[in-house]
Amino acid sequence: MLLQQQLGQRLLLVTALLLAQRCADAAPLQPHIVTIVLDDWGWANWGHHARLVKNQQLQKEVQTPYMDSLAQNGIVLDRLYVHNVCSPSRSAFLTGRNPRHVNLINRPSDMYDPSLSLDGIWGVPAQMTGIAEKLKSAGYATQHVGKWHLGYASDHQMPSARGYDHFFGYLGGGNDHWTYKINKLSKGSCGRSSLDLWHDAAPAADKVPPHACSYASQDGCTYEDALFERQVTGAIDRHAESNATQPLFLSWAPHAVHAPLQPIAAQEAKFDFIDFPARRKYAAVLNDMDRRVGRVVSTLKRNGMWDDTLLVVMADNGGPSLNEGGANNYPLRGEKGFNTDGGVRANAFIAGGFVPQAQRGSVAEGLIGVEDFYATFCTLAGVTPGDKKAAAAGLPPVDSLDMWPYLSGAVEASPRDLVVVSDGHRPQAVIDRLGYKLIVGETSSRVFQQIEPVAASLKQVRLSAGQTWQQVLRCGSQYPPYTGACLFNVFEDPSESNNIAHAHPEVIKRLAKSLDEAQRDTLQRQYGAEPTAPLKSPACLVSEREWGGFEGPWIEYKNSTNPGNTQDARPSLLGL
């Protein structure tokens, strides 16, 4: 009997090894991968979620039929967690690292101190390998359209140095939708006078209108998301015409739905029943974007690419609800900039012919971090997600987990047990696979969407239930031993209104240990100081002298008289 058991065990082992070898020898799947990262997309500003709120006004306000249909025929990612502001989420997506291991803040690109680690410049470290580099090494054609916001002080932070064959978009955090100038919500090298629009390796000067433009004046003017849509559909058409068998990685980062909200006048008129201006403009911009998504999907289908495409649509953070924001995160608590779920739980779904038929129409309720797309895409492309370049520089390894076995239905549960959520300095919250969320320190929590999901005016918000529009969630110390920490179960209590810390001391202890570990392994970044005289700063002078008033890389050119002179570049940058 013992001999039979041993023989049986050996047979199982041999079979397992043969299966593993067969999987290793199998050709990579290599679908076309198209990603759409919507900027500041609020939780309830998606028809899929708006339908769950029994409010006719909200359902009338939120018009996203194309994305609703795509999600109904794809997989809704119900628990995708991101950072609470733009650049850290995008940095995580690019590098496959939790934001605490790459970048935790939005900052200007005119800071530089070569005496500091990583050259003292803001953005994704040049020594980290981006997802486009990985996919390009697997034979993909690569293109990025729209918002970058990952650093551009150096040539080695630009999209072309990150593995993208082509780039069309803006480099910073935001610009005017009609003039492409830096807006008041973003900081350019020379303030608001800077232009920000690039095509591959040079400013897109030919796209700038010859006169002032606004949403009310369209003659000779082009709405920026219309520019981006043309680039996306053109890229798909050209790819299908030149080499349809080559896999395509196309990342599209629209301006929508980020402020300034400047919809086309006729588009805004469709929502004139909304009295609150920011909400009206937001609804118009979102509906416009939904139609553009629909046309891009039609372009993929027309070119015979849809059946082999994996489409990922997601938000980079929660929506901003008040002032110029206009978003709605109901029933989630809080908004963009804060670590309650309204700031960090993102709308997301996948679609396309590559999604297994049996999984279509399903909802993936397991935890997913924004960093997990990196390993998932690498696996589909047939490359390993490891990062030797970053390891050689002593930087944190890739955190990403391959989600494809879970999303494809090969396994039932997400491989992610824990999500780490940070503020601008250090981890502030952790969420486990049971839905328990530990929060420490203080985070503001605007209650706009909790009072009334479709408030018509700011006055109504302030008067409702006698509450103020902003509260502070106080959860004790942000440092160990985290006395006074808050605990919520966000699966059962999505509004994070019931602090259950007193009832679960054992959960507090377990999650506090995870939070402590996350805080201790956070990548500490230092940056050069912001210039005291911005108009005389090297970044501004290079913008004017080399790029004709456009934002652009400046470190390599600050002592040059013509573009391309890199005599002043740091060896650590050029030596990558």
Side-chain angles (χ1 to χ4, degrees):
M1 178 66 72
L2 179 61
L3 180 60
Q4 289 178 334
Q5 289 177 342
Q6 290 175 337
L7 289 173
Q9 290 173 350
R10 289 179 181 175
L11 180 60
L12 287 173
L13 178 61
V14 170
T15 302
L17 289 173
L18 288 173
L19 287 173
Q21 184 62 44
R22 183 180 298 175
C23 291
D25 293 340
L29 299 173
Q30 292 201 324
H32 302 301
I33 299 173
V34 178
T35 66
I36 305 174
V37 180
L38 288 173
D39 208 332
D40 292 0
W41 186 19
W43 183 259
N45 296 115
W46 178 21
H48 173 76
H49 290 141
R51 284 195 304 273
L52 303 177
V53 181
K54 305 304 181 182
N55 188 301
Q56 293 182 352
Q57 173 77 9
L58 178 64
Q59 293 176 19
K60 183 180 178 183
E61 177 179 329
V62 178
Q63 298 294 321
T64 57
Y66 291 103
M67 290 190 287
D68 298 350
S69 177
L70 287 168
Q72 289 165 11
N73 291 283
I75 304 174
V76 173
L77 309 183
D78 192 53
R79 289 284 167 182
L80 174 67
Y81 280 92
V82 296
H83 194 77
N84 62 41
V85 292
C86 309
S87 186
S89 290
R90 295 164 192 268
S91 299
F93 180 86
L94 184 80
T95 67
R97 290 165 174 82
N98 184 267
R100 76 183 192 279
H101 287 151
V102 52
N103 167 41
L104 285 176
I105 57 174
N106 294 338
R107 289 290 293 272
S109 280
D110 53 5
M111 306 170 302
Y112 176 51
D113 185 343
S115 69
L116 299 174
S117 63
L118 303 178
D119 294 288
I121 52 176
W122 168 81
V124 173
Q127 297 86 348
M128 289 183 176
T129 303
I131 185 59
E133 296 172 78
K134 284 287 188 178
L135 297 184
K136 189 173 182 178
S137 73
Y140 274 72
T142 58
Q143 183 148 174
H144 182 84
V145 176
K147 182 174 181 174
W148 182 240
H149 208 202
L150 296 167
Y152 58 91
S154 165
D155 279 335
H156 288 274
Q157 295 182 302
M158 295 288 282
S160 59
R162 297 295 189 183
Y164 289 101
D165 298 325
H166 297 287
F167 166 65
F168 183 88
Y170 55 98
L171 298 172
N175 61 1
D176 187 277
H177 227 320
W178 295 95
T179 66
Y180 322 133
K181 286 186 176 182
I182 294 293
N183 61 66
K184 65 181 180 180
L185 300 175
S186 303
K187 183 181 182 300
S189 300
C190 301
R192 282 189 243 170
S193 62
S194 300
L195 287 156
D196 191 0
L197 191 67
W198 274 64
H199 192 179
D200 290 335
D206 61 316
K207 302 297 183 184
V208 177
H211 54 79
C213 291
S214 72
Y215 72 94
S217 173
Q218 298 177 56
D219 292 340
C221 306
T222 305
Y223 188 59
E224 189 168 46
D225 273 328
L227 277 181
F228 295 158
E229 181 192 346
R230 292 173 194 170
Q231 289 294 320
V232 170
T233 55
I236 294 169
D237 287 337
R238 288 189 295 273
H239 184 82
E241 187 176 313
S242 62
N243 190 1
T245 61
Q246 181 185 19
L248 171 67
F249 175 54
L250 175 59
S251 56
W252 177 19
H255 187 296
V257 196
H258 194 289
L261 299 169
Q262 301 168 302
I264 298 169
Q267 176 70 13
E268 183 176 356
K270 292 166 55 177
F271 295 88
D272 59 5
F273 59 88
I274 303 174
D275 294 332
F276 191 10
R279 294 285 291 256
R280 180 174 63 250
K281 293 178 185 297
Y282 191 101
V285 170
L286 179 64
N287 176 247
D288 175 84
M289 191 64 236
D290 181 72
R291 292 184 297 119
R292 297 185 191 281
V293 170
R295 288 194 291 266
V296 166
V297 169
S298 294
T299 302
L300 287 165
K301 291 179 177 178
R302 174 169 49 79
N303 282 291
M305 296 170 63
W306 181 247
D307 287 347
D308 299 314
T309 292
L310 175 64
L311 174 70
V312 177
V313 181
M314 58 176 282
D316 62 346
N317 47 248
S321 63
L322 289 178
N323 301 325
E324 296 184 351
N328 185 345
N329 299 309
Y330 187 86
L332 306 184
R333 181 172 187 166
E335 63 171 333
K336 174 182 179 177
F338 307 121
N339 281 331
T340 44
D341 266 22
V344 296
R345 185 180 173 192
N347 289 326
F349 65 88
I350 64 173
F354 188 74
V355 175
Q357 183 70 42
Q359 296 299 102
R360 297 178 190 176
S362 65
V363 177
E365 297 180 340
L367 294 179
I368 303 175
V370 61
E371 63 267 29
D372 291 330
F373 290 109
Y374 187 94
T376 305
F377 294 168
C378 284
T379 297
L380 293 175
V383 294
T384 62
D387 191 347
K388 294 180 179 178
K389 183 169 65 172
L395 293 173
V398 168
D399 301 307
S400 185
L401 300 177
D402 176 16
M403 289 290 158
W404 191 244
Y406 170 53
L407 297 176
S408 65
V411 300
E412 292 185 0
S414 166
R416 180 158 295 285
D417 294 318
L418 193 79
V419 167
V420 178
V421 174
S422 303
D423 62 15
H425 304 283
R426 57 196 288 120
Q428 186 178 22
V430 290
I431 308 163
D432 73 5
R433 65 164 57 245
L434 300 175
Y436 287 112
K437 179 178 181 179
L438 178 74
I439 305 180
V440 300
E442 293 186 355
T443 182
S444 293
S445 175
R446 291 178 177 172
V447 295
F448 178 52
Q449 52 271 15
Q450 273 64 52
I451 296 171
E452 170 56 61
V454 288
S457 70
L458 188 57
K459 182 179 179 182
Q460 278 186 269
V461 174
R462 287 175 171 162
L463 293 177
S464 273
Q467 299 184 58
T468 58
W469 63 269
Q470 182 164 315
Q471 297 176 338
V472 176
L473 180 62
R474 293 183 172 86
C475 296
S477 172
Q478 198 169 345
Y479 300 91
Y482 312 118
T483 304
C486 298
L487 182 70
F488 303 96
N489 190 304
V490 292
F491 289 4
E492 301 173 359
D493 175 24
S495 296
E496 294 169 87
S497 57
N498 183 23
N499 184 358
I500 57 175
H502 65 284
H504 297 280
E506 75 289 350
V507 176
I508 293 277
K509 183 178 179 180
R510 173 171 58 83
L511 294 184
K513 181 180 179 182
S514 297
L515 181 61
D516 189 35
E517 291 173 354
Q519 289 189 350
R520 283 190 278 107
D521 78 353
T522 296
L523 177 64
Q524 301 300 319
R525 301 286 304 274
Q526 291 180 296
Y527 311 96
E530 293 186 41
T532 55
L535 294 180
K536 296 181 180 179
S537 70
C540 181
L541 295 176
V542 170
S543 169
E544 295 292 337
R545 183 182 68 233
E546 309 289 3
W547 308 125
F550 283 78
E551 290 293 290
W554 60 271
I555 291 175
E556 288 86 349
Y557 312 108
K558 65 191 183 76
N559 291 333
S560 70
T561 57
N562 63 286
N565 181 353
T566 57
Q567 62 181 359
D568 188 58
R570 294 275 296 165
S572 60
L573 292 173
L574 289 181
L576 294 174

